Amino acid sequence: MKKMRAAITGVAKYLPERVLTNAELETMVETNDEWIVSRTGISERRLVSKDQATSDMAIEAIKDLFDQTGVTAGEIDVIIVATVTPDMMFPATAAIIQNALGAKNAWGFDLSAACSGFLFALQTGASLIESGAAKKVLVVGADTMSAIVDYTDRNTCILFGDAAGVVLLEPTEDENFGLMDHMLYIDGSGAHALHQLAGGSRLPASAETVANKQHFIYQDGKAVFKRAVEGMASASSDILKRNQISGDDIAIFVPHQANKRIIDVAAQRMGLSPDKVLLNIDKYGNTTAATIPVGLKEALEEGRIKDGDYVVLAAFGAGYTWGSILLKWGPIRSK
Ligand code: COA
């Protein structure tokens, strides 16, 4: 029997309107535009409005995907939401999205793998398609990082932004298209270096946890940077080696956008010329699970992906979690 592959047949994104520039951050913490741009590549980021949460951004992106593809809510079998900033601890943001869309035939769940969340969710969705258990899966990457950023901490507040992206996965019998390979990893020995300590069962919310600022992101930037460079670079170059292809065969590399310097090292290790690297960190900063679907959408909008092209996705994040996915691009649905 021929192996059923999962292919991306629709992509959409949502960026909130509010722009937080480096100049504005200079008025909030002891920092400057030159430092932020040279150390990270970030010039500005987007933030939700007061009444917006993660599900609101995801719903906007999915509605746009439905508009583009003609697919309707009732056709969706599964909704997977990669996020570390769900609307609430439970129920799952996937449930809130399902209800808002009226996706009456869907089941779904949230997946927590931080900046690698979209890759983990994409591979999970693909496995459901490949097994025959689902025919249409929405894979969402969405994060409201502004909800857990301490805007008095210059080490972290310059880095993050809010956004949502979504892809539609469907089966294809054409062996030439779809998700071709994945290399995904988790190593919990890095948990101390990047986390949100309180609010879970280990350290429930209390007046003390709030006073101690333990509901905000904590990051040991140097430790994470070191591991991120190695993780992103090895995962992205190893997947090329395993599939016996080179940087020349890749049309575009869509990496997680945490720091431009990390992306540069990964691209170099893959032997890619800069024009083959999707970079939008300057506009959006690190939007955690949203960076890759947002990047994919921008690459399509810019005409940088054609049917039959090899595309590599790669990420590194809290956990630690990291990895890469190799895709052969196929036809996108349009109305
Ligand atoms: N503005 C100005 N100075 C700042 C600053 C800011 N916003 N933030 C930190 N600094 C200072 C530090 O306090 C430090 O000063 P010191 O030497 O007097 O202590 C100095 O700048 C250098 O800090 P350092 O941490 O060495 O900078 P860096 O080059 O490592 O860059 C990060 C910091 C956070 C940009 C970088 O470590 C990073 O990108 N880390 C990984 C992020 C990541 O991939 N996360 C995973 C996914 S979420």
Side-chain angles (χ1 to χ4, degrees):
M1 219 177 81
K2 254 168 93 179
K3 185 174 182 267
M4 190 75 78
R5 274 193 200 286
I8 293 176
T9 57
V11 190
K13 69 179 196 303
Y14 174 79
L15 277 311
E17 278 171 29
R18 159 99 162 90
V19 177
L20 175 62
T21 61
N22 288 352
E24 198 176 343
L25 279 168
E26 284 177 10
T27 68
M28 295 159 66
V29 289
E30 187 64 43
T31 191
N32 59 78
D33 178 61
E34 196 280 326
W35 191 96
I36 302 173
V37 172
S38 64
R39 306 299 261 194
T40 70
I42 303 168
S43 296
E44 57 189 45
R45 61 294 288 143
R46 301 295 184 93
L47 304 190
V48 291
S49 58
K50 278 209 163 52
D51 58 346
Q52 275 182 316
T54 296
S55 69
D56 299 308
M57 293 194 292
I59 289 161
E60 291 296 329
I62 296 167
K63 283 184 175 162
D64 187 27
L65 181 132
F66 286 168
D67 276 351
Q68 291 171 40
T69 59
V71 169
T72 58
E75 294 176 68
I76 301 302
D77 298 314
V78 186
I79 303 168
I80 307 176
V81 182
T83 188
V84 289
T85 50
D87 285 23
M88 45 187 130
M89 288 292 282
F90 73 89
T93 303
I96 294 160
I97 293 170
Q98 176 279 331
N99 183 53
L101 296 174
K104 291 194 164 47
N105 301 307
W107 62 283
F109 55 93
D110 290 3
L111 185 153
S112 173
C115 297
S116 310
F118 182 77
L119 292 192
F120 283 28
L122 190 62
Q123 183 51 37
T124 304
S127 304
L128 291 168
I129 298 271
E130 287 162 9
S131 73
K135 292 224 156 16
K136 284 190 175 58
V137 179
L138 289 178
V139 180
V140 176
D143 269 300
T144 309
M145 299 309 288
S146 61
I148 58 168
V149 162
D150 175 0
Y151 285 98
T152 65
D153 174 14
R154 70 174 183 174
N155 291 298
T156 52
C157 74
I158 57 145
L159 298 171
F160 296 98
D162 304 334
V166 59
V167 302
L168 177 66
L169 279 179
E170 294 189 78
T172 169
E173 281 184 25
D174 188 333
E175 296 241 324
N176 295 313
F177 300 123
L179 271 77
M180 311 300 276
D181 198 8
H182 66 277
M183 298 179 98
L184 301 174
Y185 306 93
I186 188 162
D187 173 9
S189 70
H192 66 282
L194 181 51
H195 56 230
Q196 180 189 352
L197 212 51
S201 57
R202 177 73 59 196
L203 200 53
S206 68
E208 201 184 341
T209 61
V210 172
N212 291 340
K213 300 188 164 196
Q214 289 167 317
H215 296 270
F216 291 128
I217 298 170
Y218 165 81
Q219 174 169 254
D220 175 349
K222 267 198 185 52
V224 177
F225 187 86
K226 233 170 121 186
R227 283 293 300 269
V229 166
E230 183 44 35
M232 284 267 288
S234 58
S236 346
S237 55
D238 289 352
I239 205 160
L240 297 190
K241 265 184 234 137
R242 188 156 84 181
N243 289 274
Q244 296 174 343
I245 53 182
S246 75
D248 293 341
D249 301 312
I250 301 299
I252 193 153
F253 176 45
V254 182
H256 172 56
Q257 313 274 315
N259 188 315
K260 183 176 179 298
R261 291 183 289 148
I262 299 173
I263 296 170
D264 289 345
V265 175
Q268 215 172 15
R269 187 89 72 87
M270 294 165 80
L272 289 181
S273 52
D275 59 304
K276 291 186 173 183
V277 181
L278 189 285
L279 269 180
N280 58 16
I281 191 168
D282 54 323
K283 296 183 288 184
Y284 309 136
N286 181 352
T287 59
T288 304
T291 57
I292 292 178
V294 168
L296 260 183
K297 182 62 185 169
E298 294 203 330
L300 284 168
E301 287 169 348
E302 291 163 13
R304 296 168 76 179
I305 309 180
K306 299 184 308 297
D307 292 355
D309 278 349
Y310 274 121
V311 176
V312 174
L313 316 177
F316 185 93
Y320 298 122
T321 54
W322 71 103
S324 59
I325 288 184
L326 176 68
L327 301 167
K328 197 111 187 249
W329 203 257
I332 288 287
R333 272 178 181 269
S334 60
K335 266 206 265 201

